[in-house]
Amino acid sequence: MKQYLLSIYQPDGGPPPPEVLDPVLRALAELNAELDAAGALVRTDALLPPETATVVRVRDGEVLLTDGPYAEGKEHVGGFWIIRALDLDAALFWAGKAARATTLPIEVRPLHTGDG
C-alpha cells in the first residue's frame, strides 16, 4: 500500500468556541477510530501554533534560524494524518471524511517512500 499525508489547513487565530470545537473533536475521534479499524492509520497529530515554528536555512554557508512560520498567510497546517491507502482515490475518500469532520480544507500528498 502507498502512504499519503493528509494535512489540515486551519485559519490563523485561536480555537473556536466550545460549541463549535466540541462537535469537531468528537467527529475527529470517530474518524481516527475508523481509520485505525480499517488499518489505514499510520500516524496522526496536531501541531502547535505557527508562532512556535523555527525556520532553518543556509545562506552563504552559514546556518540561519528565523522565528515563526516559513510563509506568512491567513491559514496554516494545524495537524496531519499519515495513512495507508491502495491508491489516490482511496486516500481522497479518507480526506473527504476528514474535511467533513474538521470542516476545513485537507491537502492530500503521496509520500515519496512507503510500501508500493
Side-chain angles (χ1 to χ4, degrees):
M1 284 195 173
K2 295 180 181 180
Q3 292 187 0
Y4 294 85
L5 173 68
L6 282 64
S7 302
I8 305 168
Y9 283 89
Q10 65 186 58
D12 285 340
E19 62 271 13
V20 174
L21 185 58
D22 291 346
V24 170
L25 293 176
R26 283 192 298 277
L28 283 172
E30 290 173 13
L31 172 61
N32 290 337
E34 188 178 352
L35 280 162
D36 193 38
L41 184 61
V42 175
R43 163 117 197 214
T44 186
D45 217 330
L47 299 173
L48 291 174
E51 58 269 13
T52 65
T54 303
V55 178
V56 181
R57 63 174 54 111
V58 174
R59 274 217 184 108
D60 299 323
E62 296 293 321
V63 175
L64 302 175
L65 307 177
T66 307
D67 290 340
Y70 174 74
E72 295 293 326
K74 294 182 180 180
E75 60 185 18
H76 60 274
V77 177
F80 65 91
W81 292 267
I82 297 176
I83 64 165
R84 285 183 210 88
L86 290 174
D87 55 26
L88 179 59
D89 287 339
L92 293 173
F93 168 80
W94 289 113
K97 287 183 167 269
R100 277 188 216 96
T102 62
T103 70
L104 295 170
I106 306 295
E107 179 182 314
V108 178
R109 293 182 68 183
L111 296 183
H112 183 60
T113 58
D115 303 335

Short mmCIF file of all heavy atoms in Angstrom, two decimals, residues 20-35 81 97-103:
data_model
loop_
_atom_site.label_atom_id
_atom_site.label_comp_id
_atom_site.label_asym_id
_atom_site.label_seq_id
_atom_site.Cartn_x
_atom_site.Cartn_y
_atom_site.Cartn_z
N VAL A 20 -18.59 25.10 18.89
CA VAL A 20 -18.11 24.77 17.54
C VAL A 20 -17.05 23.67 17.62
O VAL A 20 -17.06 22.71 16.84
CB VAL A 20 -17.54 26.02 16.84
CG1 VAL A 20 -16.91 25.68 15.51
CG2 VAL A 20 -18.63 27.08 16.67
N LEU A 21 -16.12 23.81 18.56
CA LEU A 21 -14.98 22.90 18.64
C LEU A 21 -15.37 21.50 19.13
O LEU A 21 -14.87 20.50 18.60
CB LEU A 21 -13.91 23.48 19.57
CG LEU A 21 -12.61 22.70 19.68
CD1 LEU A 21 -11.95 22.54 18.32
CD2 LEU A 21 -11.67 23.38 20.65
N ASP A 22 -16.25 21.40 20.11
CA ASP A 22 -16.58 20.09 20.69
C ASP A 22 -17.13 19.10 19.67
O ASP A 22 -16.67 17.95 19.62
CB ASP A 22 -17.53 20.25 21.87
CG ASP A 22 -16.85 20.90 23.07
OD1 ASP A 22 -15.60 21.00 23.08
OD2 ASP A 22 -17.57 21.33 24.00
N PRO A 23 -18.06 19.49 18.79
CA PRO A 23 -18.52 18.53 17.78
C PRO A 23 -17.42 18.11 16.81
O PRO A 23 -17.36 16.97 16.36
CB PRO A 23 -19.64 19.26 17.05
CG PRO A 23 -20.06 20.37 17.95
CD PRO A 23 -18.86 20.70 18.79
N VAL A 24 -16.51 19.04 16.50
CA VAL A 24 -15.39 18.72 15.61
C VAL A 24 -14.49 17.69 16.28
O VAL A 24 -14.07 16.71 15.65
CB VAL A 24 -14.61 19.99 15.23
CG1 VAL A 24 -13.30 19.65 14.52
CG2 VAL A 24 -15.46 20.91 14.36
N LEU A 25 -14.19 17.87 17.55
CA LEU A 25 -13.33 16.93 18.27
C LEU A 25 -13.97 15.54 18.35
O LEU A 25 -13.28 14.52 18.19
CB LEU A 25 -13.00 17.45 19.66
CG LEU A 25 -12.12 18.72 19.70
CD1 LEU A 25 -11.93 19.20 21.13
CD2 LEU A 25 -10.79 18.49 19.00
N ARG A 26 -15.27 15.50 18.54
CA ARG A 26 -15.97 14.20 18.54
C ARG A 26 -15.89 13.54 17.17
O ARG A 26 -15.62 12.35 17.04
CB ARG A 26 -17.43 14.36 18.99
CG ARG A 26 -17.59 14.55 20.48
CD ARG A 26 -19.03 14.42 20.93
NE ARG A 26 -19.92 15.42 20.34
CZ ARG A 26 -20.08 16.67 20.82
NH1 ARG A 26 -19.39 17.05 21.89
NH2 ARG A 26 -20.91 17.50 20.24
N ALA A 27 -16.11 14.33 16.12
CA ALA A 27 -16.04 13.79 14.75
C ALA A 27 -14.63 13.31 14.43
O ALA A 27 -14.45 12.28 13.76
CB ALA A 27 -16.49 14.85 13.74
N LEU A 28 -13.63 14.01 14.91
CA LEU A 28 -12.24 13.59 14.69
C LEU A 28 -11.94 12.28 15.42
O LEU A 28 -11.26 11.41 14.87
CB LEU A 28 -11.27 14.68 15.13
CG LEU A 28 -11.11 15.85 14.17
CD1 LEU A 28 -10.27 16.94 14.81
CD2 LEU A 28 -10.50 15.38 12.86
N ALA A 29 -12.42 12.14 16.63
CA ALA A 29 -12.21 10.90 17.38
C ALA A 29 -12.84 9.73 16.63
O ALA A 29 -12.25 8.64 16.52
CB ALA A 29 -12.76 11.02 18.79
N GLU A 30 -14.04 9.93 16.09
CA GLU A 30 -14.72 8.88 15.32
C GLU A 30 -13.94 8.55 14.05
O GLU A 30 -13.76 7.38 13.70
CB GLU A 30 -16.14 9.32 14.97
CG GLU A 30 -17.07 9.38 16.16
CD GLU A 30 -18.43 9.98 15.82
OE1 GLU A 30 -18.75 10.11 14.62
OE2 GLU A 30 -19.17 10.30 16.76
N LEU A 31 -13.46 9.59 13.35
CA LEU A 31 -12.68 9.36 12.13
C LEU A 31 -11.40 8.59 12.45
O LEU A 31 -11.06 7.63 11.76
CB LEU A 31 -12.33 10.69 11.46
CG LEU A 31 -11.36 10.61 10.29
CD1 LEU A 31 -11.93 9.76 9.16
CD2 LEU A 31 -10.99 11.99 9.80
N ASN A 32 -10.69 8.98 13.51
CA ASN A 32 -9.44 8.30 13.86
C ASN A 32 -9.71 6.84 14.22
O ASN A 32 -8.93 5.95 13.84
CB ASN A 32 -8.74 9.03 15.00
CG ASN A 32 -8.18 10.36 14.55
OD1 ASN A 32 -7.93 10.59 13.37
ND2 ASN A 32 -7.99 11.27 15.50
N ALA A 33 -10.80 6.57 14.91
CA ALA A 33 -11.16 5.19 15.24
C ALA A 33 -11.47 4.40 13.97
O ALA A 33 -11.07 3.23 13.83
CB ALA A 33 -12.34 5.16 16.20
N GLU A 34 -12.17 5.03 13.02
CA GLU A 34 -12.49 4.37 11.76
C GLU A 34 -11.23 4.08 10.94
O GLU A 34 -11.07 3.00 10.38
CB GLU A 34 -13.47 5.24 10.97
CG GLU A 34 -14.02 4.57 9.74
CD GLU A 34 -15.04 5.43 9.00
OE1 GLU A 34 -15.44 6.50 9.50
OE2 GLU A 34 -15.43 5.01 7.91
N LEU A 35 -10.33 5.05 10.86
CA LEU A 35 -9.05 4.85 10.16
C LEU A 35 -8.26 3.71 10.79
O LEU A 35 -7.72 2.85 10.09
CB LEU A 35 -8.21 6.13 10.20
CG LEU A 35 -8.56 7.23 9.21
CD1 LEU A 35 -7.97 8.56 9.66
CD2 LEU A 35 -8.08 6.87 7.82
N TRP A 81 -2.53 13.61 9.18
CA TRP A 81 -2.58 12.15 9.25
C TRP A 81 -1.59 11.63 8.24
O TRP A 81 -1.41 12.22 7.17
CB TRP A 81 -3.94 11.61 8.83
CG TRP A 81 -5.10 11.89 9.69
CD1 TRP A 81 -5.59 11.10 10.70
CD2 TRP A 81 -5.98 13.00 9.62
NE1 TRP A 81 -6.71 11.66 11.25
CE2 TRP A 81 -6.96 12.84 10.59
CE3 TRP A 81 -6.03 14.14 8.80
CZ2 TRP A 81 -7.99 13.76 10.78
CZ3 TRP A 81 -7.04 15.05 8.99
CH2 TRP A 81 -8.00 14.85 9.97
N LYS A 97 -13.70 12.41 4.29
CA LYS A 97 -14.20 12.20 5.65
C LYS A 97 -13.54 13.19 6.62
O LYS A 97 -14.18 13.73 7.52
CB LYS A 97 -13.96 10.77 6.10
CG LYS A 97 -14.87 9.76 5.44
CD LYS A 97 -14.61 8.37 5.98
CE LYS A 97 -15.72 7.45 5.58
NZ LYS A 97 -16.80 7.38 6.55
N ALA A 98 -12.25 13.44 6.43
CA ALA A 98 -11.53 14.39 7.29
C ALA A 98 -12.06 15.80 7.09
O ALA A 98 -12.22 16.55 8.05
CB ALA A 98 -10.03 14.32 7.00
N ALA A 99 -12.34 16.18 5.85
CA ALA A 99 -12.87 17.52 5.58
C ALA A 99 -14.25 17.69 6.21
O ALA A 99 -14.56 18.75 6.76
CB ALA A 99 -12.93 17.76 4.07
N ARG A 100 -15.06 16.63 6.17
CA ARG A 100 -16.37 16.70 6.82
C ARG A 100 -16.22 16.83 8.33
O ARG A 100 -16.94 17.59 8.97
CB ARG A 100 -17.21 15.46 6.48
CG ARG A 100 -17.91 15.56 5.17
CD ARG A 100 -18.88 14.38 4.97
NE ARG A 100 -18.87 14.00 3.59
CZ ARG A 100 -18.15 13.03 3.04
NH1 ARG A 100 -17.37 12.29 3.78
NH2 ARG A 100 -18.22 12.78 1.76
N ALA A 101 -15.30 16.07 8.90
CA ALA A 101 -15.11 16.08 10.36
C ALA A 101 -14.58 17.42 10.84
O ALA A 101 -15.01 17.93 11.88
CB ALA A 101 -14.16 14.96 10.77
N THR A 102 -13.63 17.99 10.12
CA THR A 102 -12.98 19.22 10.58
C THR A 102 -13.67 20.47 10.07
O THR A 102 -13.47 21.54 10.65
CB THR A 102 -11.51 19.28 10.12
OG1 THR A 102 -11.48 19.30 8.69
CG2 THR A 102 -10.70 18.12 10.65
N THR A 103 -14.41 20.36 9.00
CA THR A 103 -14.98 21.48 8.24
C THR A 103 -13.88 22.39 7.69
O THR A 103 -14.13 23.57 7.44
CB THR A 103 -16.01 22.29 9.06
OG1 THR A 103 -15.34 23.01 10.10
CG2 THR A 103 -17.10 21.40 9.65
#
